[in-house]
Amino acid sequence: MSAFEDLAERVKAHLNVIYSTEDNSDLTHEILRNMRLDEFIATPEPHHNPWTQQDAIVITYSDSIKTEGEAPLKTLRQFLRANLTGFVNGVHILPFFPWSSDDGFAVIDYLQVNEGHGTWNDISAIAGDFNLMTDLVINHCSSRSRWFDNFKKGIEPGASYFVEGDPSHDLSHITRPRTSPLLRPTETATGEKNVWCTFSHDQVDLNFANPLVLLEFVKIIRFYLDRGAKIFRLDAVAFLWKDISTSCINLPETHEVIRLIRTLVEHCNTEAIIITETNIPNRENISYFGNANEAHMVYNFSLPPLLLHTLVSGDAKALKGWLMSMPPAQAGTAYLNFIASHDGIGLRPAEGLLSSEETHSLAELMERNGGKISWRSVDANTMKPYELNIALWDAFKSTFTHADDGHQLARFISAHTIMLAIEGVPAIYVHSLFGTSNDYQRAENTGHNRAINRHQWDLSALQDALEDSDSHHAQVFAELKNLLTIRKGQPAFHPNATQFTLHLGDHIFAFWRQCANRQQSIFCINNISDQAQSISLSDINLIELDAWWDLLTSTQLTRDQKTLELSPYQSVWLSNQNYHQIAPSGET
């Protein structure tokens, strides 16, 4: 059997699960032709890890940094090249397409760059400098898109591209991330129709039960690959498939669509990566790994709320319990770690990990710190806090017990020190790099809570802030660049290196990492409280024959040292190998 025939069989097997009542032979060949897999087929290696400890991603909008009179994508590339080369090697540019709402996630045209931001040449130029991560906004599109306009007119492409619902049906069992009505009444050429809108009435859900919709996205994926995209973020993919008899989340067909996309993408480029954006409870989230045949990476969505709670409470129990429960990612898969993003800090991933009382207390504290709360409907009469909308810098302003204790910077750096050491690939939101504060004016102007954490910097103002050594912006930037520099030199920080949780008391969050060849071990020990802590080195069980270094201070433990003294929110990375600033081989 030829490589093409073998791939065709695999693709058809995926389609037979998705469209079980159809003969999918023609669709199989149409998909392969549109992916140009009838011309060239790469040979992906099973369980291959196309990432090392040198990988780190920055998350940004195309216009997060602006210069008057210059296309924002050009400004962004200029800033990234000048300031982040050597510190991060990947950039996630949030939706840069024409859009109508939700800061890009209501896409009008998937094949165009927002003309106010730049061109495809600008995107490709950034992809030439960094591993480019792009959004595949796959669950829904804008109500102002050509497809939806055609839906209203009753012509293709578009007439059959959207999910319709019957308002007389009981829809209360459908999982919702928002409080708006699920169905949007829409006038069409053939009368009023009720269109499914999981998120907002400007974001109309696409009908993947129609193979033509799947084929459209196959073409879009190939288009992005041709322009340099390497990493695909499948936005809101958990809601993709609709079945009125279910909760319409995490359905088998959704998982199979992801398996199909992985098969297609990695046969085009063996280094390409699929990431699922599934802001849902932890166990459901990690199911998107499949058997190392679905997402290459899943977001570690439980980390942000748990780490925030840990550092503002001074209690590591919940975070330790979660870390112990996390299965190691199989070879060929990895966690994507983050603690802030363009969205808020989701609370659903903390369900079962934090109590309702702890979640509500955290939400109240974030409001005191200047943040806002977004809610979701549980049923017709009940709403729960869904998301904390706050800049991460302000989230650490105060704790449950102290309004202003002078430790804001220390807590902020501690959070990133922990995130950078945990198993997985780190992703840092651009505003966390600078310690950007809440943007109340932007939130007020847009009327959207999430805008509070979507500030737009003027490049000259940002450069002034980063050059002012007394500003917290400069201090945060310098600290994070130092952490990234140290991290990428440590084989034990490979995204798939061994990890074990340590138990050193409720005020200490600690874990152990070891690379595959066992030559390097790192004990990551973090004081998550506002009180000094003393740790007996006998409790860590350091191998006495080895010399041990704190990588963060480049200091060596003395042979007769019995304890480790930690200041409030201090971290140490104790290693038996001092690889600081030595270029790693990439081996684990």
Side-chain angles (χ1 to χ4, degrees):
M1 182 181 291
S2 69
F4 178 81
E5 290 171 329
D6 180 63
L7 179 57
E9 285 295 316
R10 289 186 60 184
V11 170
K12 187 175 181 181
H14 291 306
L15 294 172
N16 286 343
V17 174
I18 301 166
Y19 307 113
S20 58
T21 63
E22 304 297 325
D23 179 353
N24 293 299
S25 300
D26 291 344
L27 180 59
T28 297
H29 287 280
E30 187 73 1
I31 285 173
L32 293 173
R33 184 181 66 82
N34 278 283
M35 288 292 289
R36 297 206 304 278
L37 288 167
D38 55 348
E39 300 174 11
F40 169 79
I41 299 175
T43 306
E45 178 186 345
H47 301 288
H48 167 60
N49 293 328
W51 43 73
T52 73
Q53 63 274 15
Q54 298 184 66
D55 287 299
I57 297 169
V58 61
I59 307 166
T60 181
Y61 281 102
S62 56
D63 60 351
S64 290
I65 305 170
K66 303 173 72 173
T67 296
E68 187 174 354
E70 182 174 68
L73 282 166
K74 294 185 185 299
T75 305
L76 177 63
R77 185 185 183 217
Q78 172 190 338
F79 181 86
L80 293 173
R81 283 167 59 91
N83 295 278
L84 292 178
T85 299
F87 300 101
V88 302
N89 63 352
V91 56
H92 174 198
I93 306 179
L94 291 152
F96 46 80
F97 319 104
W99 54 272
S100 55
S101 64
D102 198 17
D103 279 356
F105 286 92
V107 178
I108 293 174
D109 189 337
Y110 290 88
L111 303 181
Q112 297 294 325
V113 174
N114 186 327
E115 64 179 10
H117 292 185
T119 68
W120 279 113
N121 287 337
D122 296 317
I123 293 294
S124 295
I126 294 173
D129 298 326
F130 300 89
N131 295 326
L132 175 63
M133 179 170 166
T134 187
D135 284 277
L136 193 67
V137 185
I138 196 169
N139 178 72
H140 50 260
C141 69
S142 169
S143 65
R144 289 173 49 194
S145 65
R146 181 172 69 96
W147 291 344
F148 197 63
D149 191 47
N150 285 348
F151 171 79
K152 291 185 287 186
K153 294 175 182 176
I155 61 176
E156 298 290 2
S160 58
Y161 280 22
F162 298 94
V163 181
E164 298 176 39
D166 186 340
S168 67
H169 290 160
D170 180 10
L171 303 174
S172 61
H173 60 286
I174 306 298
T175 298
R176 297 297 314 289
R178 300 290 187 271
T179 58
S180 57
L182 176 63
L183 299 182
R184 163 192 161 141
T186 302
E187 287 298 327
T188 74
T190 55
E192 185 177 86
K193 296 182 178 180
N194 290 278
V195 183
W196 197 287
C197 297
T198 298
F199 290 88
S200 78
H201 281 192
D202 187 42
Q203 295 165 294
V204 284
D205 284 32
L206 291 154
N207 180 18
F208 272 82
N210 179 357
L212 293 176
V213 174
L214 175 64
L215 192 57
E216 292 278 12
F217 276 89
V218 167
K219 297 173 186 175
I220 291 166
I221 291 168
R222 180 71 249 189
F223 185 87
Y224 294 170
L225 283 167
D226 289 343
R227 278 141 192 86
K230 180 181 176 182
I231 309 171
F232 293 83
R233 176 185 182 271
L234 274 55
D235 177 64
V237 70
F239 300 94
L240 188 73
W241 199 268
K242 312 299 189 290
D243 179 344
I244 193 66
S245 66
T246 72
S247 62
C248 295
I249 190 170
N250 306 324
L251 297 188
E253 292 87 351
T254 294
H255 285 277
E256 198 65 38
V257 169
I258 297 168
R259 294 185 191 109
L260 170 62
I261 292 173
R262 174 166 177 161
T263 295
L264 295 172
V265 165
E266 65 184 9
H267 279 85
C268 290
N269 179 355
T270 58
E271 300 299 300
I273 294 168
I274 300 297
I275 299 178
T276 48
E277 189 267 330
T278 47
N279 191 358
I280 51 181
N282 191 54
R283 187 168 295 182
E284 299 171 34
N285 180 41
I286 62 178
S287 73
Y288 283 87
F289 279 141
N291 186 25
N293 61 350
E294 289 188 40
H296 295 89
M297 294 186 192
V298 300
Y299 280 85
N300 235 337
F301 274 111
S302 296
L303 180 61
L306 287 177
L307 187 49
L308 176 60
H309 179 269
T310 296
L311 286 163
V312 298
S313 68
D315 187 338
K317 287 196 292 292
L319 188 60
K320 284 195 292 187
W322 165 77
L323 196 68
M324 287 189 294
S325 72
M326 291 296 283
Q330 294 186 55
T333 66
Y335 293 104
L336 187 71
N337 295 327
F338 74 110
I339 46 179
S341 73
H342 62 291
D343 289 340
I345 296 173
L347 293 176
R348 284 210 71 205
E351 290 178 7
L353 303 170
L354 295 177
S355 68
S356 295
E357 292 77 12
E358 288 171 323
T359 298
H360 279 276
S361 294
L362 187 60
E364 290 171 357
L365 176 62
M366 292 305 104
E367 285 186 310
R368 293 198 297 274
N369 285 352
K372 299 177 181 295
I373 309 300
S374 294
W375 301 81
R376 71 180 181 93
S377 298
V378 178
D379 54 42
N381 301 309
T382 308
M383 292 198 302
K384 282 187 175 181
Y386 173 74
E387 188 175 81
L388 308 174
N389 301 118
I390 189 170
L392 191 66
W393 171 254
D394 288 297
F396 289 113
K397 182 178 181 180
S398 61
T399 68
F400 286 130
T401 55
H402 293 93
D404 185 3
D405 58 4
H407 291 310
Q408 183 177 8
L409 176 61
R411 277 190 290 272
F412 188 85
I413 297 303
S414 174
H416 286 88
T417 306
I418 292 169
M419 185 268 284
L420 288 169
I422 284 177
E423 175 193 349
V425 174
I428 302 179
Y429 187 38
V430 69
H431 290 302
S432 294
L433 282 174
F434 318 134
T436 306
S437 300
N438 289 333
D439 190 331
Y440 298 110
Q441 189 64 54
R442 188 168 173 82
E444 182 179 344
N445 290 345
T446 63
H448 296 295
N449 288 354
R450 285 178 168 177
I452 199 172
N453 193 27
R454 297 176 180 179
H455 180 69
Q456 292 178 320
W457 277 98
D458 173 76
L459 178 60
S460 61
L462 176 59
Q463 289 172 331
D464 288 345
L466 297 182
E467 290 170 5
D468 178 3
S469 60
D470 292 329
S471 78
H472 80 265
H473 304 294
Q475 293 165 9
V476 165
F477 196 42
E479 290 275 7
L480 293 187
K481 287 198 297 183
N482 184 53
L483 288 171
L484 287 163
T485 300
I486 297 170
R487 180 192 184 277
K488 75 177 199 176
Q490 315 309 320
F493 283 154
H494 186 283
N496 296 93
T498 299
Q499 176 174 283
F500 285 109
T501 309
L502 305 177
H503 298 278
L504 301 173
D506 291 341
H507 299 310
I508 299 293
F509 178 61
F511 50 96
W512 172 75
R513 304 294 309 278
Q514 185 181 69
C515 58
N517 63 18
R518 301 186 181 183
Q519 291 186 356
Q520 186 188 33
S521 293
I522 302 178
F523 289 86
C524 306
I525 304 171
N526 309 276
N527 179 2
I528 50 82
S529 77
D530 60 3
Q531 300 296 313
Q533 301 293 325
S534 180
I535 306 298
S536 171
L537 290 177
S538 62
D539 291 339
I540 305 173
N541 195 27
L542 301 180
I543 298 173
E544 293 185 0
L545 296 178
D546 289 344
W548 290 90
W549 296 77
D550 175 16
L551 299 174
L552 298 179
T553 58
S554 293
T555 57
Q556 186 176 0
L557 298 187
T558 62
R559 289 290 182 183
D560 58 351
Q561 189 168 339
K562 301 298 183 183
T563 62
L564 193 64
E565 306 298 327
L566 298 178
S567 302
Y569 304 108
Q570 182 183 353
S571 298
V572 296
W573 288 348
L574 291 181
S575 174
N576 60 341
Q577 299 285 344
N578 187 6
Y579 287 113
H580 183 26
Q581 295 184 335
I582 297 177
S585 66
E587 295 298 320
T588 65

